[in-house]
Amino acid sequence: GCILVTIQSYQATSTPHTSTPPPDRQPPSNPVTTPPPTPPTESPTISHSIIMASTSTLPILVIGSTGNVGMATIQSLSTSGVPTRAGVRDVKSDKAIQLAALDNVTVVAADLGQPDTLPAALKGVGTVFIVSPGAEDRVKLVADGVAAVKKAGVTTVVVVSVTSVATEGDTLFKKHFVEIEENVKASGLTYTFLRLPMFFDNQWANQGSIKGQGKIYSPGDPTKPVSLVSVADIGAASAAVLAAPAAHAQKTYNLVSDTVTFNDIVAEFTKAVGREIEYVQAPYPAAIEAMVGMGFPRWQAGGVAELFELVDAGSPAMTVGTADLAGILGRAPTTFSAWVGGVAAGFKA
């Protein structure tokens, strides 16, 4: 799960930067970077509910429930009638209150950064979903979570990883998630890895520049293809795996909805909003500084830049097929064109 970041501040200094609110300071559901803002009126919804029969009457615990992936997963579990515990850092937060209002959902304190919150949350749970956080020490955080799962006697865990673990070279995010996956495998638990690419939904970070300037800013080569995923598709697929984990034991899935270029992206926005949208390729140093200026830690900004460089180089791991996601969903994944069409109102000037 990597952000398809927009470089809003790579513009003339006279241009007002009103398009990108400060990043959410909570550990994000996106395992690489803070998720972009999603306007409530255009927030992605689960358009294709999966009817699933849970293989256990024991509840599922989701650790990392208030980010995009966690919330989408819990929404799908709730709709399908699966008993779910939403693990959050702050049970009184606005997002926790939203989750508590869902059917079949109980909000509990469960913070990877405070391991003493985990035993109570884990008591009587059947399966645990760890949405790996966007923290520099996430290897340790996930390892602590896995150790708590094992100590609690829970035998099954589903863990968010990233598709870039399969890339060549020694990139930062690859290093993090290779170690996370190795630690989970060494735990002896029954596991499933859900490897995520960049999100369709990160395009909300482009909302201001699309509406105000008719432009998308990014460092990537606009002719190179990159695999992306819809957050709604992630939620539906994660819920399906969690509801019947035995069918997915010791499996690793790449959850990809579509593969597009930035040229494709601006063409879809042009069609959807009814006016020409232009792609502006920013130099990498400017892109990194822009991300830091938007509130991202420098380590994350550098890691994101490495991902774009992998796309530019044509790394096979950055263009993955949709078969895994389609197989789990039992339908074709959402296309980028369909996603843009569904949220177009939010990008019109």
Side-chain angles (χ1 to χ4, degrees):
C2 323
I3 193 165
L4 192 54
V5 73
T6 65
I7 311 307
Q8 301 287 356
S9 57
Y10 177 67
Q11 303 169 19
T13 55
S14 59
T15 304
H17 306 305
T18 58
S19 56
T20 306
D24 182 349
R25 306 316 298 175
Q26 295 188 16
S29 62
N30 183 325
V32 173
T33 58
T34 305
T38 302
T41 55
E42 283 85 35
S43 61
T45 57
I46 308 295
S47 57
H48 300 275
S49 177
I50 292 182
I51 304 302
M52 59 188 83
S54 177
T55 57
S56 171
T57 57
L58 297 176
I60 290 162
L61 172 64
V62 178
I63 300 178
S65 297
T66 58
N68 292 347
V69 170
M71 292 194 80
T73 300
I74 291 170
Q75 287 168 7
S76 192
L77 288 166
S78 169
T79 300
S80 301
V82 179
T84 303
R85 291 182 191 171
V88 301
R89 292 192 307 162
D90 179 5
V91 296
K92 296 181 180 179
S93 69
D94 290 344
K95 289 183 178 180
I97 292 168
Q98 291 175 33
L99 289 167
L102 296 174
D103 292 338
N104 309 300
V105 175
T106 303
V107 171
V108 298
D111 184 353
L112 292 175
Q114 297 185 34
D116 59 338
T117 65
L118 298 178
L122 285 161
K123 188 174 181 180
V125 164
T127 301
V128 178
F129 185 30
I130 298 178
V131 183
S132 304
E136 191 169 13
D137 62 343
R138 59 181 153 211
V139 174
K140 179 183 184 301
L141 291 173
V142 175
D144 288 347
V146 168
V149 169
K150 190 169 183 179
K151 186 175 181 180
V154 180
T155 60
T156 306
V157 65
V158 178
V159 179
V160 167
S161 185
V162 293
T163 56
S164 60
V165 296
T167 59
E168 59 285 347
D170 185 27
T171 62
L172 178 62
F173 298 155
K174 174 183 177 179
K175 179 178 182 295
H176 284 177
F177 284 95
V178 165
E179 193 168 349
I180 285 171
E181 290 191 7
E182 288 177 348
N183 289 343
V184 172
K185 289 177 180 177
S187 71
L189 296 171
T190 299
Y191 65 84
T192 305
F193 295 123
L194 303 181
R195 291 179 177 172
L196 308 182
M198 301 182 187
F199 297 172
F200 289 176
D201 308 72
N202 292 331
Q203 289 301 323
W204 286 112
N206 284 331
Q207 185 184 39
S209 65
I210 289 174
K211 292 175 71 172
Q213 302 173 26
K215 294 179 180 179
I216 290 176
Y217 296 85
S218 186
D221 182 337
T223 70
K224 299 294 186 180
V226 58
S227 292
L228 309 173
V229 66
S230 156
V231 168
D233 282 355
I234 298 171
S238 299
V241 170
L242 289 164
H248 306 282
Q250 319 309 102
K251 298 285 183 63
T252 298
Y253 296 117
N254 294 302
L255 303 188
V256 170
S257 296
D258 202 357
T259 297
V260 295
T261 66
F262 267 109
N263 284 340
D264 296 328
I265 287 171
V266 294
E268 291 297 343
F269 274 109
T270 294
K271 180 171 66 175
V273 304
R275 68 189 181 102
E276 190 71 24
I277 304 302
E278 176 188 355
Y279 181 77
V280 179
Q281 187 173 4
Y284 274 92
I288 291 172
E289 293 308 315
M291 283 185 271
V292 172
M294 290 163 65
F296 295 108
R298 189 167 291 277
W299 70 270
Q300 282 187 332
V304 172
E306 289 180 331
L307 294 175
F308 279 104
E309 289 171 341
L310 288 169
V311 174
D312 288 352
S315 171
M318 302 305 285
T319 53
V320 183
T322 61
D324 284 357
L325 182 55
I328 295 169
L329 295 177
R331 62 166 172 85
T334 306
T335 64
F336 185 77
S337 178
W339 181 85
V340 173
V343 299
F347 292 88
K348 290 182 179 178

